[in-house]
Amino acid sequence: MTETLYDRLGGQDAIGAVVDEFYDRVLEDERVAYYFEDVDMQKQRAHQTQFISSVTGGPVEYTGAEMEAAHEGMGITPSEFDAIATHLDETLASFDVDDEDRRAVMETIASYRPEIVTASD
């Protein structure tokens, strides 16, 4: 059986640790932190862990809203998307995720860009 990206990332617990660190970074970034002011961050972290686990081939079914519906009306700009994506990439690097696996995660996230970015800079 081929090892999935989910397996190479260390499974759900490791992905959860990455997500926790990722949101710590995002919440410290004044460019994007305001998006999360009225968000239940415990729920958001669990939701994001489920999402990343699912899209990396884990045995987890993502049950959240479709990307477009989840981000509707938020007015996320390309530079805000890039800022958040950079936080994820840097967090993965801080967890010693190798370049190829980091690239795979980031390409997956980038594939959702058209549904998430709804405003211009």
Side-chain angles (χ1 to χ4, degrees), residues 1-113:
M1 187 167 134
T2 306
E3 189 177 46
T4 65
L5 179 54
Y6 171 85
D7 294 325
R8 292 193 306 277
L9 291 172
Q12 192 159 351
D13 288 344
I15 291 170
V18 167
V19 167
D20 283 343
E21 173 67 23
F22 160 70
Y23 276 118
D24 288 347
R25 291 171 184 240
V26 168
L27 293 172
E28 290 174 8
D29 185 341
E30 63 186 32
R31 297 172 297 174
V32 292
Y34 68 93
Y35 281 113
F36 301 94
E37 285 175 356
D38 296 321
V39 172
D40 176 340
M41 288 309 296
Q42 184 175 352
K43 184 176 176 185
Q44 180 68 24
R45 289 170 194 258
H47 179 80
Q48 190 70 18
T49 300
Q50 180 189 45
F51 172 72
I52 293 176
S53 295
S54 175
V55 301
T56 57
V60 177
E61 186 176 337
Y62 176 68
T63 58
E66 291 295 320
M67 277 302 137
E68 199 165 358
H71 296 88
E72 188 176 14
M74 293 180 74
I76 297 172
T77 66
S79 62
E80 290 168 334
F81 180 93
D82 292 343
I84 290 173
T86 297
H87 287 305
L88 179 58
D89 191 37
E90 290 174 352
T91 302
L92 290 166
S94 78
F95 277 81
D96 297 323
V97 174
D98 73 43
D99 290 346
E100 187 177 328
D101 288 342
R102 259 186 26 238
R103 212 170 11 260
V105 170
M106 298 312 296
E107 286 172 4
T108 299
I109 300 303
S111 74
Y112 291 97
R113 185 183 186 107

